[in-house]
Structure formats: C-alpha cells, structure tokens
Amino acid sequence: METPKTLQRRDKLHNTLTIVISILALTLSSITFIKNEYRYSSLAETIGILDKKSQDYAVCLESLKLKSYHHALKTKRQATQGDIDFPTDEEMRQNIDKEIKRQVHIFMNNLHKIYSVQNEKLVIVGAKGEPGPPGQKGSKGERGPRGKKGVKGPPSEKGQKGEAGVSVAAPSITIPPKAKTVHLGKTVTFSCTAEGLPTPIVTWYRMSGALPSGNHEIYSNGSLVIRSVRKGDEGIYTCLANNILGEAKEFVSFNIILPVEFVQRPKNRVVKEGSIAEIYCKAQGFPQPVISWYKGNQTDRGEKLDTNSDRITFVKAVSQDSGIYTCIAKNIVNQVQAKAEFLVVENIRFTLLPPARTKAHVSQTVSIDCQGHSGKMVAKISWTRNDGRLINKHQVLPNGTLVLNVSSKTDAGEYICIASNPLASINSTLVLDVYVRSCSEWKMTGATRNGDYFINTDVPGGVEGLKVYCDMEYRKGAGVTVIGHDSEMRTLVEGFPYPGSYVRNINYTSASEQQINSIIKASANCEQFIKYECLNSVLLWHGLSYGWWVSRDGQKMDYWGGSSPGTWKCACGITDTCQGGFGCNCDANDGKWREDSGLLNDRSTLPVSQLRFGDTGNPREEKGFHTLGKLKCYGIA
C-alpha cells in the first residue's frame, strides 16, 4: 500500500502536468490567433473552447490518477491472496507513472495539434472518429528517396552443434611405394596405400611402357608384385589412386642388378695428321659401369690413361697418337674390355706428277706416270676424265701409270690422276691433245670418204698441219696418203749421150720435205711408181749405169722399180723375164721400144728427188720417156 507521502508526490506531479499542458494549448492558440487575426473575428469563442478543453483535460488527469490508484490497490489485494510476490512501493510507483504517461500520450493524440483553415475558419481537430468508407484509389505518387541504413542489430546467440555427417574426399596416398633394387629372377613387391571417399581404386603403370608381361599382379590392397624379374622389367613405375573426386599418384624407381655389356665397342680409326678425331665406347649395366682406357699394342695393354670418360678426343692428331686403345668397363658384377687401333697417317702427296699437257696421234700408245705417298698407308692411284666418260679402253698399271691407247680424236681432253687413301685424296690434271698424221689414221677414226683431209705432222719445233688427199679405197681401203709433184706427166728424154747427163729434179708441191718425211715415218708402207720407155737407150747396161733415180737424201739408186736395193736390176730381172737375158728390158738395146717399170717401196729412200738418164745422143735412133707417179703412203708405223 502506498504511503500518504507517496500519494502527495503523485498529486503534485499531476497538477504540474495539467498546468504545462494548459500553457501549451494557450500558446498554440495565441500563435494561431496572431497569424490569422485579420481572418477570424470570433477569437474569444475559440479561446473559450480551448480553456474548456484544458479543464476537461485536468479532470481527465484526476480521473486517471484515481483509476491508477484503484488499479494498484486491486493488484495488491490479488497478490496477498495468491502465491505471487507483491511489488514494493517503489516498483508500484514506477508502474503507475508509466501508465499515466501512456494515457497522457493517448489523450494528446486525440486532442491533436492539428488545425487547418477550412472555409476561412480555424478548425481544431478533435479525437479520431470511426473510419469512413474507403475512397477511390489515387494515382501512384513518385518514389521517395531511399532511407538511411538502419543500425545493426545485436548478434544472435550461437546455436547448438549439429550431429556429425558423412564427408567425401579426393584420393591421397598415405603410404607411398619405395624404390627397389633386386637381382635377376627375384620377386619384388611394391606397396601403395591410398585413402579417400569414395574408396579410391589403385592401379599401376610403367612410364617407359607396359607392365611386365606374364609375371606381374596387382592386389586389391594396391600392392604390385613382379615375380621372376627379367632384364627389361626395370624402370619408373607409377601408383595411381583415383575416385570421382580426382586422383593421386606416386612414382617409384625399380632397378635390376645387371652385368656389364658393351652397347658400342670402340672401332678402328684411321685419320690424317692434324685432324680432329675420337675413339668411343659405351657400356650398360647396373650399377652403372665405370669406363677406363689404356694405350698399348696388340700384346700389351699398356699404360692407363687419365680419363674416365667413354671417349678419347684428339684435337689435332699426330703420328705419336697411333696405337692400340683398350676400353674397360666394370661394375660390382663383372668387367668387359674391347680394343681398337687408332692410326694417324701422313697427309697424302704426289711423288711423281703427270705433265700438265701432252700430245698423241691416233694409233699411238701413251704412258703417263703418276705416283703418290701417304706414309704407312699406300696411296692408291686412279684415273678419270673430267667429262665423266669412262677410260675402260685405256689401262692403269699397278704403279699408277696410265696407258692411253689413242684411237680417235675424241680421246683428247683432260685426264685426272687421283692419289687417295681411306682418309683423303689429291688430284692432278693432264691435258691430252690428239692429232692425225696420215690418211690411215683418219681411216682408223672411222673416215671412209675419198677427199682432202687435214693432217698434222711431227716436225721439229712443233706440229704443223697440211691438207692432203686421202684415197680411202686403194690398198683395200687402208687409207692412203697421196702427195703429188710437178713431174707426173710422161716426159721425153733425148740428146743426152753420157750416163746421167739428163737431170730432172722433182718438186713436191703440196708438202715440205720435212712434212713428207714425217708422213713416211708415220706410215707402215710407202710406194712410188716409176717407168722408163726406151729406144736404144740403156739403163743398167753391164754394170754401167746410164740411167738412175736419186733418193730423198741425194743417194744414187742402182735399181729400178719392181726390184730391190743392191740388185742392179729392174722388175723383169727379178723374175728373169727381161729381153735378151739382161737385168732390164732397156738393156737389150735392140732398136725396139722397150719398157722397164715398177714400184719403188723402200721407205728409207723415198720419195724420188731426181731422175737421171743418158744414151740418147742420136735423136733418130736413141730416145726415151720417163714417168714418175705420186708418193703414196699407207698403214700406221
């Protein structure tokens, strides 16, 4: 129950609130009155209404105070009869104050400070009446500005921990496989444990190829077993674990202990001086073999070289590098060795060079020397032509000499001598000039037509050319060179009684003496027809020469055509058919016309350079005619 002192304080508070509210109402009305003084004429009536409202409000506050007081007493009585705790006087006071403030707020809202001008009158809005019927919906207004963000509320309390659920995970290898090294024929096992959800599937594969065929097995726990290990099973193996979320892998090396064997044995080498070269050997096995080198000979391995490389390199090889090199490869299982010969040879060079240029005539056989040297290694000599044509018809002797069998003008050209060994080669070029000396040589080249041909003759100081007539049918088509002169016509001899008093010099107009001599020299056969028709004019009468011919070198010839030197006869004397049994028909001197004729064929004396006759002093009873044919040469000397 409230004390009298408490009730007194409440009354004093209510009175104060009444006065304040009245003052506020009056102030508001005064302000409104001042603003609208010229419009409202019944301000007194309005102030009266406001005063009436203030009084009503005071009565309301009093009534409110009493209601609050009675409510508090009723609450206290109910509390003494029940089990609930009765509030203290202070708590009761606070509750009453709160209720008063609430009722005042409601009243003030009903009183409302809204006043507006309607029909030029001051209207004080009273308490809100019952809602009227809804009006027609108006048009949508413009959207207002966005409001400010509100103050963040206090955090909520942490909820209770939920029950544990089922989780999924990508594979992971928890126990990876370990590297293994085993001997051939053994069994090896690689373990591989993986985790994940769903449970991963473990498989194996080899990086260098398929898993060993026929001797491996993969178990459900992920282990790989290889039985009876064979050569070639070694390598890098991969354990792979995968499920729908991914995969994991681990690599492991597998080695097999293997004996050493050569993959590449050292090879014999022959190199030239100053060249860059190497000897190489390669071995395989496990553990990896160690390479060492020795230099010696066929019977002694020699000294060990300061290198463990699989090769020996010679930057500039010299003859002292020659020798037998031994490669030794070994590991913990075994060792192997192999030998190779390394030979450094001198640079090849010519010891006998062919001439830069030479000449040869058709039918000539020419020998061209060419030799080379390359130290311990024999230099091989070979020949070729620069135009690529073969030289099969020619011959190369074992010492490198080229034997040229010249048979055509096409044999002319460049011939190359090549000196070589397995390492290098050098060459030297010979230019061969081919010329034709006679018609027989032209025939040899394939010419068949009669006519003028150009030939070259060997004369001191060089080769001179001339045009000659070639008879390609005479002497069975041997190819006859024909040289004419100025005394080929039948010529009368008379008025010369003494032996050889008639003199007829023979001039060969188409060739010089040197050229004729060269043609004769180039020919196997030469001939010249000679004839003397006589009337009581003897030739070789009883060993006394009245008529004769002179050789090319000026010698008096004491035989006639058809006979041979030193016989003192004519052709009929050789066959014993001369008139009167003499050595010549003209020597019969029987007052009849006789004739001695035949071919002169001694190449060493031809051609005829002069004719001499006599015994023609009495023109009525003694006379003669001489005829000398062309010089004809054929065949190849």
Side-chain angles (χ1 to χ4, degrees):
M1 178 179 292
E2 291 183 344
T3 61
K5 189 176 182 178
T6 300
L7 292 176
Q8 187 177 2
R9 286 197 303 270
R10 284 179 57 86
D11 291 340
K12 188 177 181 179
L13 175 62
H14 288 169
N15 293 331
T16 303
L17 287 173
T18 300
I19 295 170
V20 171
I21 292 172
S22 297
I23 294 172
L24 288 173
L26 290 173
T27 303
L28 180 62
S29 299
S30 300
I31 293 172
T32 304
F33 174 77
I34 294 171
K35 287 178 64 179
N36 298 284
E37 180 179 5
Y38 66 97
R39 292 183 179 179
Y40 304 106
S41 59
S42 56
L43 180 60
E45 183 181 354
T46 301
I47 295 172
I49 293 172
L50 291 174
D51 182 69
K52 176 89 170 47
K53 290 292 183 178
S54 299
Q55 292 176 3
D56 291 341
Y57 179 66
V59 174
C60 181
L61 285 176
E62 185 67 23
S63 176
L64 180 61
K65 178 181 75 172
L66 294 175
K67 286 181 180 181
S68 298
Y69 179 77
H70 289 300
H71 177 73
L73 291 176
K74 183 179 179 180
T75 301
K76 187 171 182 179
R77 285 195 300 270
Q78 290 176 351
T80 58
Q81 295 176 1
D83 295 331
I84 61 175
D85 295 333
F86 184 77
T88 63
D89 291 342
E90 181 62 27
E91 289 175 344
M92 183 66 72
R93 185 187 62 79
Q94 293 177 357
N95 290 336
I96 291 173
D97 288 344
K98 289 180 180 179
E99 181 63 20
I100 289 173
K101 291 179 181 179
R102 187 179 71 82
Q103 291 296 329
V104 170
H105 180 72
I106 292 173
F107 177 80
M108 290 300 291
N109 284 337
N110 289 335
L111 183 63
H112 213 282
K113 293 180 293 184
I114 299 174
Y115 38 91
S116 61
V117 177
Q118 291 183 355
N119 299 321
E120 296 182 348
K121 292 182 180 182
L122 177 66
V123 179
I124 299 176
V125 181
K128 185 177 181 181
E130 295 294 328
Q136 186 177 359
K137 185 177 181 179
S139 60
K140 185 177 181 180
E142 295 182 358
R143 183 175 181 177
R146 182 182 180 90
K148 295 182 180 180
K149 183 176 180 180
V151 180
K152 183 177 180 181
S156 61
E157 295 181 0
K158 183 176 181 182
Q160 295 181 352
K161 182 177 181 181
E163 296 180 358
V166 179
S167 61
V168 294
S172 64
I173 296 177
T174 57
I175 303 178
K178 297 181 180 180
K180 299 289 182 69
T181 300
V182 299
H183 289 273
L184 287 172
K186 299 296 183 179
T187 296
V188 62
T189 300
F190 294 98
S191 299
C192 185
T193 303
E195 291 182 353
L197 191 67
T199 301
I201 298 173
V202 177
T203 58
W204 287 83
Y205 64 90
R206 186 163 59 159
M207 293 185 65
S208 58
L211 293 174
S213 176
N215 65 333
H216 81 276
E217 187 172 357
I218 300 175
Y219 290 90
S220 59
N221 64 357
S223 296
L224 170 65
V225 177
I226 303 175
R227 296 180 175 85
S228 300
V229 170
R230 301 166 301 195
K231 182 179 178 182
D233 291 345
E234 68 274 10
I236 302 298
Y237 285 74
T238 303
C239 171
L240 176 67
N242 60 26
N243 62 16
I244 60 174
L245 298 179
E247 66 178 30
K249 62 176 65 176
E250 287 288 343
F251 300 95
V252 63
S253 64
F254 172 40
N255 294 302
I256 302 174
I257 296 177
L258 299 172
V260 181
E261 61 181 5
F262 279 117
V263 177
Q264 175 69 61
R265 292 176 174 270
K267 296 180 180 180
N268 294 336
R269 294 292 310 275
V270 179
V271 301
K272 61 182 180 179
E273 281 184 319
S275 62
I276 299 175
E278 68 178 14
I279 305 176
Y280 170 72
C281 78
K282 184 177 181 181
Q284 66 180 9
F286 192 85
Q288 180 67 32
V290 176
I291 302 294
S292 57
W293 288 91
Y294 292 81
K295 178 187 177 184
N297 51 47
Q298 292 289 358
T299 58
D300 183 10
R301 188 168 70 181
E303 62 178 345
K304 183 178 180 180
L305 302 180
D306 185 19
T307 178
N308 290 323
S309 173
D310 58 1
R311 68 194 63 211
I312 300 176
T313 302
F314 303 91
V315 177
K316 189 175 182 180
V318 295
S319 59
Q320 290 79 4
D321 294 327
S322 299
I324 304 297
Y325 288 80
T326 302
C327 173
I328 297 178
K330 66 178 180 179
N331 65 7
I332 60 174
V333 182
N334 69 323
Q335 78 172 32
V336 293
Q337 68 177 32
K339 296 182 178 181
E341 181 178 5
F342 184 73
L343 178 62
V344 181
V345 298
E346 298 179 23
N347 292 325
I348 193 169
R349 56 187 174 85
F350 281 112
T351 56
L352 184 59
L353 276 171
R357 196 176 200 102
T358 191
K359 64 181 185 295
H361 58 77
V362 173
S363 77
Q364 185 177 358
T365 298
V366 181
S367 295
I368 308 297
D369 293 325
C370 184
Q371 295 179 7
H373 175 77
S374 61
K376 295 181 180 180
M377 183 165 290
V378 177
K380 179 183 177 181
I381 300 297
S382 60
W383 288 85
T384 185
R385 296 192 64 166
N386 71 330
D387 56 7
R389 286 184 290 173
L390 299 177
I391 58 171
N392 293 340
K393 71 176 183 178
H394 307 300
Q395 181 183 8
V396 179
L397 301 181
N399 65 353
T401 298
L402 173 64
V403 180
L404 292 171
N405 299 308
V406 182
S407 60
S408 172
K409 291 278 284 185
T410 59
D411 289 330
E414 292 184 357
Y415 290 78
I416 302 172
C417 173
I418 303 172
S420 64
N421 59 29
L423 306 176
S425 64
I426 55 176
N427 59 73
S428 179
T429 301
L430 159 75
V431 178
L432 175 66
D433 297 314
V434 175
Y435 61 98
V436 180
R437 303 175 300 164
S438 66
C439 295
S440 292
E441 290 182 0
W442 272 116
K443 183 72 174 183
M444 187 176 182
T445 65
T448 58
R449 180 183 57 83
N450 293 340
D452 293 333
Y453 287 81
F454 190 82
I455 64 173
N456 293 94
T457 57
D458 293 320
V459 297
V463 177
E464 294 182 0
L466 72 153
K467 185 185 292 184
V468 296
Y469 181 83
C470 292
D471 188 339
M472 297 300 183
E473 298 174 352
Y474 182 64
R475 291 297 183 183
K476 298 181 180 182
V480 179
T481 305
V482 180
I483 300 175
H485 55 82
D486 60 357
S487 302
E488 297 176 16
M489 301 297 294
R490 184 170 178 262
T491 303
L492 173 63
V493 179
E494 62 179 359
F496 296 92
Y498 304 110
S501 57
Y502 174 86
V503 179
R504 178 74 176 192
N505 293 319
I506 310 302
N507 296 312
Y508 294 89
T509 56
S510 60
S512 68
E513 180 181 352
Q514 290 180 328
Q515 290 172 333
I516 293 173
N517 291 341
S518 178
I519 293 172
I520 293 172
K521 182 180 179 181
S523 303
N525 303 283
C526 287
E527 61 184 42
Q528 195 167 10
F529 179 76
I530 189 170
K531 179 173 72 172
Y532 186 61
E533 301 169 64
C534 55
L535 177 62
N536 294 323
S537 177
V538 298
L539 283 174
L540 304 172
W541 187 66
H542 296 292
L544 178 62
S545 297
Y546 276 82
W548 63 88
W549 60 276
V550 179
S551 67
R552 66 171 182 261
D553 56 1
Q555 297 294 317
K556 176 184 176 182
M557 297 292 103
D558 53 7
Y559 70 97
W560 205 248
S563 182
S564 301
T567 61
W568 286 77
K569 292 180 180 181
C570 296
C572 62
I574 299 299
T575 60
D576 293 328
T577 58
C578 295
Q579 187 66 35
F582 294 96
C584 296
N585 287 322
C586 289
D587 290 343
N589 200 26
D590 56 2
K592 295 180 179 181
W593 281 99
R594 303 292 180 184
E595 176 185 327
D596 286 298
S597 61
L599 293 174
L600 301 172
N601 52 25
D602 182 7
R603 290 191 311 131
S604 63
T605 57
L606 293 177
V608 175
S609 63
Q610 189 181 76
L611 293 177
R612 304 289 292 269
F613 296 100
D615 195 21
T616 58
N618 186 351
R620 293 184 177 182
E621 297 180 0
E622 299 173 334
K623 62 177 64 176
F625 290 90
H626 64 78
T627 303
L628 181 63
K630 300 176 185 294
L631 175 65
K632 298 179 179 181
C633 294
Y634 59 92
I636 299 173

